[in-house]
């Protein structure tokens, strides 16, 4: 078994099997997000740093990238900034939605017990939201790397991640982000077209792990 730090922000450690450890290594070399193909150097740097795009980076990505999503540059900038600025409440909504749908999931016998498993889940929600925001900025609905996504599916299976809860949580991210965009109005509301596709793509990828 291997003890690894799963979160760069807080020290979250988990004992992993040899197979899980190997899959994590493969995932590091072949990430879930299509690094280098979507959003250029700015998105690649943000992904590696586990960060949302800053205002200058948003401007750079939006101006340099023109994916198939039909949105103005101001709309893509607005929705990307909104996902960044309101990420904490969006993730909190997703957590609450998981707990409401799966009461006791963080208690002994539940899929998110012990607490380190729940923390890893919320960390993944944050990473998913970051990647969705990069895709929205670039105007690209499908943002995953096929090989990287397959490796992550293997890892989730090996670690017995509760996929029903993960799917519910990502739907919660989508719903909270959509509500935030409607509340903001203006360019952010119009720019939801650039974010809705990446959310639906992400949900489809995670649902595929359950088959």
């Amino acid at each position: 078994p291997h003890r690894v730090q799963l979160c760069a922000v807080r020290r979250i450690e988990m004992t992993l099997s040899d197979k899980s450890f190997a899959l994590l290594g493969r995932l590091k070399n072949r990430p879930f997000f299509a690094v280098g193909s979507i959003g250029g150097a700015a998105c690649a740097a943000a992904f590696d740093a586990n960060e949302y795009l800053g205002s200058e980076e948003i401007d750079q990505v939006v101006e340099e990238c023109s994916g198939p999503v039909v949105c103005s540059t101001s709309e893509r900038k607005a929705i990307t900034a909104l996902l960044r600025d309101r990420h904490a409440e969006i993730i909190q909504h997703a957590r609450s939605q998981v707990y409401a749908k799966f009461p006791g999931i963080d208690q002994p016998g539940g899929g998110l017990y012990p607490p380190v498993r729940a923390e890893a889940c919320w960390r993944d929600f944050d990473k998913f939201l970051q990647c969705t925001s990069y895709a929205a900025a670039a105007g690209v609905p499908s943002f995953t790397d096929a090989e990287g996504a397959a490796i992550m599916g293997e890892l989730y299976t090996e670690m017995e991640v509760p996929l029903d809860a993960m799917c519910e949580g990502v739907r919660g991210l989508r719903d909270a982000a959509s509500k935030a965009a409607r509340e903001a109005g203006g360019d952010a509301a119009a720019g939801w077209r650039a974010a809705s596709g990446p959310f639906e793509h992400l949900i489809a990828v995670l649902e595929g792990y359950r088959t």
Side-chain angles (χ1 to χ4, degrees):
H2 304 268
R3 290 186 66 81
V4 298
Q5 185 172 333
L6 294 180
C7 180
V9 179
R10 279 196 259 168
R11 188 167 179 77
I12 298 176
E13 293 188 345
M14 185 181 294
T15 302
L16 300 180
S17 67
D18 289 343
K19 182 175 180 180
S20 294
F21 189 75
L23 287 167
L24 275 174
R26 289 174 59 197
L27 192 60
K28 183 177 181 180
N29 293 326
R30 191 73 183 216
F32 174 80
F33 180 73
V35 176
S37 299
I38 295 175
C43 286
F47 181 88
D48 288 342
N50 198 37
E51 295 175 347
Y52 292 83
L53 294 169
S55 296
E56 290 184 4
E57 288 76 22
I58 291 175
D59 289 347
Q60 177 184 338
V61 172
V62 170
E63 296 296 339
E64 292 180 354
C65 303
S66 56
V69 176
V70 180
C71 276
S72 69
T73 57
S74 63
E75 290 167 353
R76 281 194 282 141
K77 289 177 183 180
I79 190 62
T80 306
L82 180 140
L83 295 176
R84 177 197 65 200
D85 296 342
R86 299 185 64 174
H87 75 274
E89 66 184 87
I90 292 171
I91 294 167
Q92 181 56 49
H93 175 88
R95 292 175 59 169
S96 298
Q97 191 159 315
V98 168
Y99 284 136
K101 183 73 177 287
F102 304 97
I105 194 171
D106 60 341
Q107 300 301 310
L112 293 183
Y113 184 87
V116 65
R117 289 179 64 85
E119 290 292 341
C121 176
W122 315 143
R123 173 190 59 83
D124 282 0
F125 284 177
D126 193 27
K127 196 67 175 180
F128 290 154
L129 188 58
Q130 288 173 18
C131 292
T132 301
S133 72
Y134 307 156
V140 178
S142 301
F143 61 86
T144 55
D145 176 87
E147 184 178 343
I151 294 169
M152 194 172 81
E154 288 185 63
L155 180 63
Y156 273 14
T157 298
E158 176 66 18
M159 296 183 67
E160 299 182 345
V161 172
L163 293 173
D164 49 356
M166 294 298 290
C167 292
E168 185 66 25
V170 174
R171 286 191 288 268
L173 293 175
R174 175 200 60 194
D175 296 346
S178 176
K179 180 181 178 183
R182 292 195 304 272
E183 291 173 349
D187 282 343
W192 175 248
R193 296 191 302 275
S196 61
F199 274 114
E200 297 305 329
H201 170 70
L202 177 58
I203 291 168
V205 170
L206 292 177
E207 289 281 4
Y209 294 159
R210 301 169 65 181
T211 61

